[in-house]
Structures are given as C-alpha cells and as structure tokens.
Amino acid sequence: MTQQTTLVLQPKRRGFHLITGEICSQLPALPACGLLHLFIQHTSAALSLNENADPDVQTDLKCAFDHLVREREPYYTHTCEGDDDMPAHIKSTLIGASITIPISNHRLNLGTWQGIYLCEFRNRAAGRRIVATIIE
C-alpha cells in the first residue's frame, strides 16, 4: 500500500534547519515496515540527513556552503531574482531534492545522531512544500 500527502513547513531563514519533528507531526500513522520518501517541490532549497544533536553543525554547514557557492559571481547570468537566487539553485543541486528513510516498528529508522534537515538557501522564503510518500 502507498500513501501520499503534501506537508507544508513553517517559513525558515537561510540556513540548515532540523525539521524531523515538524515532518513527523504531519505524517499519518506509519506502517510496521516500509519506506518514507520525502521530495521538496522547490529549486532553491534541499533536504538532507545530518547531525541532530550539536547545532554547531548547522552553523558550520551554512558557512561552508556560503563559502563554496558565493553570491554575485561575475559569471552568473540568472540574476533577476536577487543575489541569493542563483547560488540557491547551485546549492540545491549539490545536496538534492529528496531523501528516503526506512520505517521500522512504526517509526522512522534514523541513526542515533541523524535528523532531517531543510537546507534553506534563500534569505527569505515562504513555507516549503514537501511531498511525503509512504510505501508499505
């Protein structure tokens, strides 16, 4: 059996945000065993799994990505939506639009230190939409 729903996240500022709780609170009951596939419907944000305990990781990731993909590079031609737009598209491509997590015993089977991240690359963004597909 497959279930699908669209989740809407609260707007977040630019950065890496732990959203495991926000995701889980919007999901229907999970099966005993299966997969959860999450797909973000945006081209300037991404989803990732990473450290869920130390918030310094989120700060360091933001700093590293801002260093790797800088704003206002002279070779950008897609510039009409602001200085943060083209770098956001590049960062989104580097991380990706989806993740898949196993479901075991009616729970997400994440590692001890793993959490779901919204990687928000725009300075200001509306609530992001995520399609959640549960495969039993």
Side-chain angles (χ1 to χ4, degrees), residues 111-131:
T112 301
W113 306 111
Q114 287 182 317
I116 303 168
Y117 274 32
L118 168 66
C119 311
E120 178 56 70
F121 301 125
R122 295 302 304 266
N123 292 328
R124 286 179 285 285
R128 299 298 193 167
R129 290 180 321 280
I130 297 177
V131 177

Side-chain angles (χ1 to χ4, degrees), residues 34-108:
L35 294 172
L36 171 65
H37 183 265
L38 299 173
F39 172 78
I40 191 163
Q41 295 183 302
H42 303 275
T43 61
S44 56
L47 294 174
S48 179
L49 292 176
N50 218 304
E51 167 81 42
N52 69 358
D54 186 351
D56 287 346
V57 172
Q58 294 162 272
T59 301
D60 291 347
L61 284 169
K62 180 188 177 302
C63 290
F65 269 80
D66 288 346
H67 178 77
L68 289 171
V69 184
R70 298 182 185 274
E71 293 182 1
R72 296 178 293 283
E73 292 291 358
Y75 48 83
Y76 294 156
T77 57
H78 177 74
T79 59
C80 62
E81 294 180 52
D83 290 339
D84 63 337
D85 189 48
M86 190 59 225
H89 294 311
I90 295 167
K91 294 171 187 177
S92 174
T93 296
L94 289 172
I95 293 181
S98 66
I99 57 175
T100 302
I101 303 167
I103 298 168
S104 302
N105 300 315
H106 305 281
R107 298 179 55 173
L108 298 183

